[in-house]
Amino acid sequence: MPHPLTDLPVRTVVRDALLHPGDPAEHRVDADVCVVGAGIAGLSAAVESARLGRDVVLVDALPVLGGQMVNSLIGLFCGAFGNAPEHRRLTYGLLDDIFTDLGASGDIFYRVGHTITVGYDEVRLGRWVEDTVRELGIKVLTGASLVGVDREGDRVLGARFATRYGAVDVRAHGFVDASGDAALCWAAGLPCRLPEREIYGSQQLVVEHLDESDPPEPADLAARVAAKAAEYGLRRHDGLAFYFPGRGTAVLNMTHIEAPLDPIAAAEAQLEGKAQADRVVAFLRAEFPEVFGKASVRSYGLPGRRQTRWVAGVHQLTVDEVRAGTRFPDAVARTAWPIELHDTPSGYVWETFGPDHLHYVPLRAMTPPDTANLLVAGRCVDGDAAALSSVRVMGPCAAMGHAAAHVLDLVGPDGTVHDVPTRRTAELADRIRPNVEG
């Protein structure tokens, strides 16, 4: 009797022909809604669209879901709560499920201060994302880099992605650009904004084997970094450590790295970020040996990017509107998060607001003027640099994705998203009320 290993048939195949521009893709996916980017904004848009009964495809350039929320080790949900003393909840929808499910398993914790931030275990959150997407029947296309957009007049008809399995054409009635870098809008030939000077990202990392009994106060840690940065070769002269209670781990946010759109420069920035992170760990071991003396790196995140390229929308949110707390008729998200502009190598602007302050994101900032079926959600919506720095955190980004799903549902396959902020504001407000009122 033949051994099963020697009885395994193998065939030889040859590709029919080399692909050329204009050739059909080797694969095609059809959906009602295509969401590009699987971070918090894109995930929120995809989940809410699926719950509205839409057929959804969720695309990401990474080989796994979760975007920066999971894979850059952000470590905290920020911007979902208001300021002290009331600390009222500002964002609902997808965050309800995350907070409930990870709370039940002990994989989140709440940090109460000027506002409330919610720490999480990134491994458990990553699995929660994957399980949720599967349960809702969302089609997933990972490891997919956008290479072109099929656009006819004011409608995006489809997008082509390169994967290791061949080119994939995605055709859909509606699109959400939650890529973070406005990748879909840029490929569609829509106007985008670039900052005049670098806005720095961070190389986050998780360290373990800490003694949590008496960690340094944030102000003491920042002061020691400022005093010793040159000695240890640290670029950023401040920093934060987010400790997960009872686990002997912390997420470190103590680096500044460039966030270029050039591929070679981006790869170099990733290498530089890890070198900075290693110097941070050496600093902590030497300067705070009681807490970090035995610390080792459990994981390095992918490079974190704050503000790179974003869309030019119908309305650009301004820093004056943020400071004034302007309440727009077409508001879709709100937050009390500070202005947090990381535009210098050594530090950043941190401008907090009072106890009753809220500022809002209008739908028009998510709406490119020249397309009828495309919305932007997350950190690539339109704002001046300082305004965007106050609304690009996860709370309002989740609310933007939630709203994008409802806008596309309201207008259907043949309508225009521009009808909603001008003629159908009340209908949208009824659907998203918890994220903008109360």
Side-chain angles (χ1 to χ4, degrees):
M1 182 176 177
H3 191 281
L5 287 179
T6 62
D7 198 32
L8 176 64
V10 175
R11 59 195 176 102
T12 300
V13 296
V14 177
R15 190 174 183 176
D16 290 340
L18 294 176
L19 286 177
H20 301 283
D23 288 347
E26 295 153 287
H27 308 276
R28 174 167 167 162
V29 180
D30 293 282
D32 297 321
V33 176
C34 172
V35 180
V36 179
I40 187 64
L43 180 68
S44 181
V47 166
E48 192 65 15
S49 293
R51 288 175 175 167
L52 290 167
R54 301 300 181 184
D55 188 22
V56 182
V57 57
L58 178 60
V59 186
D60 201 278
L62 295 177
V64 291
L65 301 176
Q68 293 199 138
M69 170 179 66
V70 172
N71 302 294
S72 295
L73 307 182
I74 290 176
L76 295 176
F77 288 98
C78 299
F81 289 84
N83 293 332
E86 189 176 349
H87 290 133
R88 58 175 161 154
R89 176 84 173 272
L90 303 177
T91 307
Y92 297 85
L94 184 71
L95 293 188
D96 292 332
D97 302 317
I98 293 175
F99 292 172
T100 297
D101 293 347
L102 268 67
S105 62
D107 291 311
I108 62 172
F109 63 94
Y110 293 84
R111 299 173 73 246
V112 181
H114 181 65
T115 185
I116 292 177
T117 55
V118 184
Y120 56 88
D121 182 306
E122 76 284 352
V123 175
R124 293 309 313 148
L125 178 58
R127 289 295 298 122
W128 184 94
V129 169
E130 293 164 343
D131 287 342
T132 300
V133 165
R134 291 188 70 196
E135 288 166 6
L136 290 170
I138 296 170
K139 298 171 187 173
V140 171
L141 181 61
T142 52
S145 298
L146 181 65
V147 295
V149 170
D150 183 8
R151 181 181 165 199
E152 186 175 288
D154 66 354
R155 305 197 78 84
V156 174
L157 304 179
R160 177 166 292 191
F161 299 88
T163 78
R164 65 184 299 173
Y165 310 106
V168 182
D169 276 345
V170 176
R171 314 291 284 188
H173 301 305
F175 291 81
V176 179
D177 186 344
S179 64
D181 301 319
L184 187 62
C185 291
W186 181 250
L190 299 174
C192 294
R193 305 190 193 276
L194 292 171
E196 290 292 328
R197 61 178 179 270
E198 187 75 37
I199 298 177
Y200 291 87
S202 287
Q203 172 63 61
Q204 309 269 91
L205 65 158
V206 176
V207 291
E208 58 187 353
H209 307 310
L210 310 185
D211 183 344
E212 302 173 47
S213 57
D214 189 24
E217 293 294 324
D220 295 336
L221 176 59
R224 189 77 61 88
V225 175
K228 299 277 190 172
E231 179 180 338
Y232 288 90
L234 306 182
R235 169 181 281 184
R236 182 168 164 179
H237 293 184
D238 58 34
L240 299 165
F242 311 129
Y243 306 91
F244 200 115
R247 297 194 180 182
T249 66
V251 175
L252 303 183
N253 181 358
M254 299 179 66
T255 63
H256 264 172
I257 57 174
E258 285 84 1
L261 296 172
D262 174 84
I264 299 298
E268 181 59 35
Q270 181 176 18
L271 299 176
E272 162 62 18
K274 288 185 177 178
Q276 284 189 39
D278 290 342
R279 293 195 291 272
V280 165
V281 174
F283 159 82
L284 291 171
R285 286 174 179 153
E287 297 295 326
F288 299 97
E290 303 85 358
V291 178
F292 292 96
K294 298 180 181 179
S296 61
V297 178
R298 186 177 80 180
S299 54
Y300 298 90
L302 297 181
R305 299 160 74 87
R306 291 185 172 91
Q307 295 166 246
T308 53
R309 178 178 57 213
W310 56 93
V311 75
V314 171
H315 179 90
Q316 183 182 48
L317 183 67
T318 70
V319 70
D320 289 339
E321 290 168 336
V322 167
R323 287 170 172 154
T326 302
R327 175 67 156 87
F328 304 97
D330 60 335
V332 296
R334 58 183 174 167
T335 188
W337 194 251
I339 295 170
E340 185 194 348
L341 186 59
H342 292 249
D343 63 339
T344 62
S346 61
Y348 59 102
V349 175
W350 181 253
E351 182 181 319
T352 58
F353 300 107
D356 299 321
H357 176 88
L358 293 175
H359 52 275
Y360 297 83
V361 178
L363 176 60
R364 288 164 297 148
M366 299 168 52
T367 312
D370 300 322
T371 55
N373 63 334
L374 168 64
L375 291 164
V376 177
R379 64 182 176 89
C380 51
V381 302
D382 197 6
D384 66 37
L388 187 57
S389 78
S390 69
V391 298
R392 57 167 173 70
V393 291
M394 287 206 279
C397 285
M400 292 181 225
H402 182 92
H406 282 278
V407 172
L408 292 177
D409 186 61
L410 278 170
V411 303
D414 302 314
T416 172
V417 296
H418 299 286
D419 280 345
V420 178
T422 57
R423 290 191 286 271
R424 305 183 69 176
T425 306
E427 291 177 79
L428 178 63
D430 285 342
R431 289 173 172 236
I432 65 170
R433 195 170 304 281
N435 282 339
V436 292
E437 294 184 10

